[in-house]
Each structure stands twice: as structure tokens, then as C-alpha cells.
Amino acid sequence: MSSLLDLANLIFPDIKETVADLEKRYPKRNLPEGAMVTRFAPSPTGFLHTGSLFTSLVSSYLAKQSKGVFYIRLEDTDTKREIAGSGESLIEQLKVFDVIPDEGYISDTLEIGNYGPYKQSKRAAIYNVVIKYLISIGRAYPCFCTAEELATLRAEQEKNKVTPGYYGEYAIYRNLPVDEAMAKIKAGVPYVIRFKSMGNHNNKVFFHDEIKGDLELTENDQDIVILKSDGLPTYHFAHLVDDHFMHTTHITRGEEWLSSLPIHLELFDTMGFERPKYAHLPVIMKVENGNRRKLSKRKDLEAAVSYFLEQGYPKYGFIEYLLTIANSNYEAWREANLDKDFHEFVLTFEKMSLDGALFDIEKVASISKERLAFKKAKDLKEEVKSWAQTYDVDFYNHIVKDEEYFTSILNIEREKEKPRKDYAKYSDIYPIISFFYDDVYAAIDKRSLEWNPNIARADIRAVLLDYTQNIDLNLTEEEWFASIKELAVRHGFADNVKEWKKNKEAFKGHVGDVSEFLRIALAGRKNSPNLYYVMQILGKDKVIDRIKTTLAYI
Ligand code: GLU
């Protein structure tokens, strides 16, 4: 009669190392008391999801603030879903948001650290050491179940109205005699390796989550697959092996994993590995027709981090927004510490939301507006320039033609106590300011300008013509506004709106209408940044020129 060890040797003839050898190869990390080792473990199956940026941001923050280690592990065991190049692009996008690993997978050809390989597809030999051991102690076994057998099993369970799955009496290969199993393997019958659970779904397992507190969950009794027929492990098993040998102290992952936690606990306990601490982070949700649902890859633009990059939300605005989702006291901290860098905020598990966080794009915008408003024009210019280089080439070309000119445009009502809060993202800027550029102005169709239909064209013409003759830009903002009021009065317009409202019949309009004529003539539309500064930046000659050009079409 063959032994379990014979079976283990038959399946893994080349594995000579033992679990003890692995413990030696990956010794405990030498870190100060309280240092957290966290990781982000993306699967290279597409773009960076907003929810993943959130968990990775929190994970890296926790490691950094405790002087620990944050590393990245690429979970590429699902070869069918893998998208070539997406591992590297995830790393690139994380970098934009300052999520930079101390260790781990950096690119397909580069990794840093002593606990690797950090790409699961390269760790087969390590997983096999542990699986070989589990087989040898009778806690893992080859399962030869075919798709048909599994289907029959499922049908029977449905009929009997019992918990579905591969467990207990339904686990048909669980107690197959070793000799029979070995004969099948020798005959080339395909198989997977399953874990042999000793759990019972009538029992509870107690556990403390760093965020959710004390929990009571149903014990695992499923004989889950740990090694697939392609020789790669499943998530559950890789989690056990990798987080143990990489010495992760805190598993910070999405709460969608909470339901499989009993499996993970049983795996850790079976191996006699110390359980890591778990912090199941809130999943980012969205409200649709009054119902909450997960941000969806398919339905929501904002599910992809690339959307925020393309739109040009400043990274610090987006990070701060994610911090408000992470910790309920972030906003109060920010208000009390306006001049501090957000990195100084101390993130804690206690202040994390217990149920899904709601994604609120309006809030992303308002936080970003606030942050962008307090940027120095020169710094903002650099940010916008580098964004435009990738995402708006036309804008970029205009910026680099004259960077000082562009900086002065950005500086309108900026660098003062109460700056204007016009821009939530870089892509908001060009549509508002492009008229400053002559080629853009020239392309505006002057025949379809939106003149006030209640005012005679002749009056509009007269006001504009007058301004070309009496223009003076060597004035303070106040003096200049007084000159516009005078212009208004000269042509029968009220110099303030109140006056006009009291007696509309007595006036052609009011000073606001006059400003609007000038705005339309200079910018081609009714809205523009502060008109005084628009004129200061364009300069007297250009102002006169543009008004004259426009007059020809009124
Ligand atoms: N690869 C898993 C995922 O992308 C990682 C989950 C974890 O952090 O453990 O969902």
C-alpha cells in the first residue's frame, strides 16, 4: 500500500524543498514595533479601477505612516483574463497618485525586494512546496471530478435543497484510496488539487476585523480547489502562501473578500501560520435610481482611474477626495489645517466607514476646485502643460507658444486671499480661456454672436465704437469700472442695475449690458473671466482691433 508521501512525490517529483526551507529563505522582516507591512495585489486584467486606487492608496499610506513596507504583488494566475501590458500600466497610473511601492513588482522585467518573485506566475515552485506538504499530511488531495460529475453533483444538491459545493459526502474524491489516486495519475487522468476541509457549516468562526470589529462567520467546509489543472494556484491558496512568506501584517482588501475569509482562516490555521490582521475596506458604491450599487466597470466612466486622468482632475484633489472616503474625520482635519500637506493626516482604521462608501463626483470637483484655486499661477501652468501634452495637443501647442502669456491668463483673480474657483479640472481651462489666442478668436463666427435682442443693434454699435475712441487701460480696476459706467451713461444706460429696475422705461439697459457687449466683442461670448483683466492681458491695441472686427458684423 502506498503512503500519502508516495502520492505527494508522484505529483511533485521535482520539489525537494520543505516548508521549513521556505521559512528560512523568507525570514521575518526586521522592522520597528508597530510597522505595518501592507500590499496591493492587482490582477492584470485591465484598467486601474477607482476602488483599487482607493485600497492601494490606503494600504500605502498605512505602511508609510507606520514606517513599514508597502509592496505590490501581481496576481496573474487567471491567464484567461489577463490583458498584456496591463500590469505595467497599473503601476504607471498608481505612480501618478503617489502610490509608489517600496518593494515588489515594478515592471515585467524589474522587481525590488527579498521576498519575491512578486509575480504569482513565477511562484509555482513555492506554492508546490506547500501543496506537497498538505498532501503528505492528508489535508490536500487530487480531485479527478469531471465537468459532468460536477453538474450531476449540483443537480443533486439542488434537488435535496442543501448547500451547494464540493464538501463532505459530496466531495467524491476526498476519500479515494491513495493507490487508486496514484493509478489515475499514472494513467494520465486530469486532476486539480483540493484542500481537505475539516470545518462544519453548523459551526461559527470568531474573528476580529480591524475595521468591522468582532465578527462571527460560518466555518468553511468546502474542499476548495487550491491548484488548478494549469498548475497555477487559486486566489485563496496564493493569498495564504504569499502573504505568509512575504510577511504581510495587515491584509487591506475590499470587503467583497469577507465572505471567503473563513476559507483563509482555515488555511492559515491548518498550516500553523500566524493569521495576519485583516482590514476589509469599504467598497465604493454609487446611487442609481435610489439604489446603491458597486461602481461598475461597464456602466460608470468614473470606475476607471484613467477617466480622472484624461479629464485632468488634479491628483492631489482626487487623493484628498479618496481620503474623505477613507476617514470620516479627514474633512474636519483639512479645515483645521488648511496649509498642511495632506500626507500629514494620520489615517486610522477606527475612522473608516463600515458600509460602502458613496462615490460623489460633485465632491471630487468641489475639492479639486478648492485646491486648484490656491495654486500659484506658475505651478498651475506646469501642471496644465504636462496634462495638455498628453490629453489636449491643441491646448498644449498654444501654451508653449508663450508660457508667460498663458501664466498671466491663469493668474486672473488668483494669488489673493479669495481667489476665484473656476476650474475643477485642467480640461475646464481651455474652453474658458481659448479666446485669448488670436487664431481661436479669428475662427469665431461673428455673425452668430449672441447680442441682447432687447437692445437695438445701433445702440450696441454706438457703445462699442465709443469705447474704441475713449479706451484707457492705464487705470486701476475701480477706475476702469467707473469709466465703463460713464460709457454706459453716455449712451442712455443706467450705471447700476437697481436704478434700471426701478425705471426700465427710462433706460436702454444697464451697465451690465454694456459690459456684455464688450465681452462678446472680445471673447465671442457672454461669459469670460473678469473683463478688466481680460483687457489688461490682451492690451489696448488688441482690444480695439477685436472690437472693430466685431463692429463689421453688427
Ligand atoms: N487579486 C485580488 C483582486 O484583485 C487581490 C485581493 C487582495 O487584496 O487580496 O481582487
Side-chain angles (χ1 to χ4, degrees), residues 143-199:
C143 169
F144 304 91
C145 220
T146 60
E148 293 77 50
E149 281 176 312
L150 282 176
T152 313
L153 202 72
R154 210 171 304 129
E156 195 187 323
Q157 289 170 336
E158 254 167 50
K159 203 179 80 202
N160 298 344
K161 296 201 167 44
V162 296
T163 315
Y166 200 87
Y167 62 97
E169 62 191 285
Y170 297 98
I172 33 188
Y173 291 95
R174 182 180 160 106
N175 295 317
L176 190 71
V178 172
D179 284 322
E180 278 180 50
M182 289 178 69
K184 277 186 183 290
I185 292 171
K186 285 182 189 151
V189 180
Y191 62 94
V192 296
I193 306 284
R194 286 185 186 268
F195 174 62
K196 190 185 265 186
S197 171
M198 294 299 172

Side-chain angles (χ1 to χ4, degrees), residues 4 12 33 86 119 331 538:
L4 288 168
F12 297 110
E33 181 74 25
S86 63
K119 214 173 149 174
E331 277 178 280
L538 287 174

Side-chain angles (χ1 to χ4, degrees), residues 39-43 52 73 75 235 239 243 251-254 256-257:
R39 85 297 192 269
F40 174 49
S43 301
S52 304
R73 177 170 72 230
E75 306 217 319
Y235 168 78
H239 158 50
D243 285 312
I251 310 295
T252 43
R253 63 182 179 190
E256 68 270 26
W257 292 106

Side-chain angles (χ1 to χ4, degrees), residues 94-240:
L94 288 174
K95 202 154 83 190
V96 174
F97 292 95
D98 294 344
V99 179
I100 298 169
D102 302 306
E103 181 180 308
Y105 168 89
I106 305 294
S107 75
D108 287 337
T109 50
L110 178 69
E111 53 176 51
I112 312 173
N114 300 326
Y115 292 85
Y118 295 90
K119 214 173 149 174
Q120 289 182 331
S121 57
K122 296 214 172 120
R123 296 175 63 77
I126 299 172
Y127 302 123
N128 291 347
V129 170
V130 181
I131 294 179
K132 187 170 185 179
Y133 166 74
L134 284 172
I135 294 174
S136 74
I137 62 163
R139 292 303 303 273
Y141 61 93
C143 169
F144 304 91
C145 220
T146 60
E148 293 77 50
E149 281 176 312
L150 282 176
T152 313
L153 202 72
R154 210 171 304 129
E156 195 187 323
Q157 289 170 336
E158 254 167 50
K159 203 179 80 202
N160 298 344
K161 296 201 167 44
V162 296
T163 315
Y166 200 87
Y167 62 97
E169 62 191 285
Y170 297 98
I172 33 188
Y173 291 95
R174 182 180 160 106
N175 295 317
L176 190 71
V178 172
D179 284 322
E180 278 180 50
M182 289 178 69
K184 277 186 183 290
I185 292 171
K186 285 182 189 151
V189 180
Y191 62 94
V192 296
I193 306 284
R194 286 185 186 268
F195 174 62
K196 190 185 265 186
S197 171
M198 294 299 172
N200 179 334
H201 61 237
N202 295 317
N203 294 345
K204 296 284 175 213
V205 51
F206 297 94
F207 152 82
H208 178 82
D209 183 271
E210 299 299 301
I211 297 172
K212 302 197 175 292
D214 290 331
L215 299 174
E216 194 185 299
L217 303 163
T218 302
E219 213 170 74
N220 173 60
D221 65 351
Q222 299 276 338
D223 283 2
I224 57 143
V225 173
I226 54 178
L227 193 70
K228 300 180 288 173
S229 53
D230 62 5
L232 289 171
T234 53
Y235 168 78
H236 307 301
F237 188 70
H239 158 50
L240 163 79

